[in-house]
Amino acid sequence: MKTIITHSGTFHIDEVTACALLQVFQPNEYLIARIPHQDVIPSTANFVIDIGRTYNPDKGLFDHHQWEHGKSSAGLIWEYLAVADTYPYISKIIERIDQHDVGICKATAFELPNLISAFNTDDIYDDSKQLAAFHQALHVLTIYFDSMKRYQDKVNDAPNIINNSLVVDDVLILPEYIAGWQTYVNDTTDMAHIRVVMWPKGDGSDHWYAQVPPINPTSYDMSHPSFKQDPDMIFVHANGFLCVAPSKLAMYEYLGIHNA
């Protein structure tokens, strides 16, 4: 078991995120102790986060309050984990958390810092209630970052699957749904000619999904003509970016695929 020490009282996005990142990227059994700022910190602690006035990753000390480089304790732990290049989506989230926590740019009402802040109890001086609330917030963030990690892992695997998938009449036929395929199939890549991406639903039925690639991964604008309503289809989205066919053959017919 490893020990994490952080401060008691009101908790914030940075130390909760730091604890969540350790649980996700260095899985272990952790004992998390929340102590007052003025308490003596046990020398046996493996990680001291957001408390102690010292930053020394070699000794497990991650307090950013005396460190003037624009990172919160979450950012310091993320740097310590050394996986930023592999997980750029999470890196952007951590950067945003840092900006909020150190006073560079305040988060909006819909961003993580304010979500986690809402977990604080009405009586922040009730240690038992605060401890329970802290673990609730930690549980939420652990699920969130674990999900983001698994999503990025799938995105990182996507190029190999996409490059080995069948392309017929400028339709990319995936063997299964590939998370993040939009990153590799859009107008900014060498696959700009792909007019549709299709894949099996994967639930044991014969249903197939199809989607028109976006102009770029973050856009709702489509790079090719949208789908038209058709009574033989199970579903066609009102804006025409997505459709569902009752079978692979039905999807071929709907998309006008003749060379499969």
Side-chain angles (χ1 to χ4, degrees):
M1 178 181 290
K2 292 188 175 182
T3 303
I4 298 174
I5 302 293
T6 189
H7 63 81
S8 58
T10 302
F11 50 84
H12 311 97
I13 184 65
D14 65 323
E15 78 268 19
V16 185
T17 293
C19 293
L21 291 174
L22 287 171
Q23 291 187 332
V24 171
F25 288 92
Q26 285 193 351
N28 209 309
E29 186 176 355
Y30 289 102
L31 172 64
I32 301 177
R34 304 182 72 237
I35 65 175
H37 281 283
Q38 66 270 21
D39 276 17
V40 175
I41 298 172
S43 60
T44 55
N46 299 102
F47 298 95
V48 179
I49 296 174
D50 212 37
I51 191 174
R53 297 186 178 182
T54 303
Y55 169 60
N56 188 334
D58 293 335
K59 295 184 178 181
L61 305 176
F62 296 91
D63 190 1
H64 69 99
H65 293 105
Q66 306 299 317
W67 196 70
E68 300 176 354
H69 297 283
K71 288 187 179 181
S72 68
S73 57
L76 297 180
I77 286 291
W78 189 235
E79 186 175 78
Y80 160 80
L81 291 169
V83 291
D85 290 342
T86 306
Y87 298 96
Y89 294 157
I90 296 179
S91 291
K92 291 180 180 178
I93 295 168
I94 302 304
E95 181 181 358
R96 191 70 188 89
I97 289 171
D98 287 345
Q99 289 174 345
H100 171 84
D101 193 79
V102 303
I104 295 174
C105 182
K106 193 172 181 64
T108 67
F110 299 101
E111 293 185 272
L112 282 177
N114 288 309
L115 168 67
I116 295 306
S117 179
F119 277 86
N120 283 283
T121 67
D122 292 335
D123 185 359
I124 62 172
Y125 300 107
D126 187 318
D127 289 341
S128 62
K129 288 182 179 179
Q130 278 297 101
L131 181 61
F134 173 88
H135 281 286
Q136 287 179 329
L138 176 60
H139 180 64
V140 168
L141 282 186
T142 301
I143 292 174
Y144 175 74
F145 285 112
D146 181 62
S147 178
M148 291 293 293
K149 178 183 182 297
R150 288 185 285 107
Y151 175 79
Q152 184 72 67
D153 287 339
K154 292 178 180 179
V155 170
N156 293 343
D157 290 339
N160 182 55
I161 298 173
I162 290 171
N163 290 332
N164 287 284
S165 295
L166 182 65
V167 176
V168 181
D169 291 342
D170 291 333
V171 175
L172 175 64
I173 305 171
L174 298 175
E176 60 183 323
Y177 177 74
I178 305 300
W181 64 259
Q182 299 91 337
T183 301
Y184 306 100
V185 184
N186 56 71
D187 275 355
T188 66
T189 69
D190 59 4
M191 302 193 79
H193 63 286
I194 297 296
R195 62 186 177 94
V196 174
V197 177
M198 59 180 283
W199 62 89
K201 186 175 181 182
D203 63 348
S205 70
D206 294 327
H207 300 172
W208 278 70
Y209 281 77
Q211 188 171 327
V212 180
I215 292 176
N216 62 65
T218 61
S219 175
Y220 287 119
D221 294 328
M222 291 171 275
S223 59
H224 294 273
S226 61
F227 298 131
K228 305 299 181 184
Q229 295 295 327
D230 188 316
D232 293 328
M233 298 292 283
I234 293 175
F235 173 77
V236 179
H237 196 281
N239 74 0
F241 86 101
L242 177 74
C243 68
V244 184
S247 67
K248 187 176 186 178
L249 179 59
M251 184 66 82
Y252 279 178
E253 292 176 352
Y254 178 73
L255 298 177
I257 294 177
H258 305 294
N259 300 315

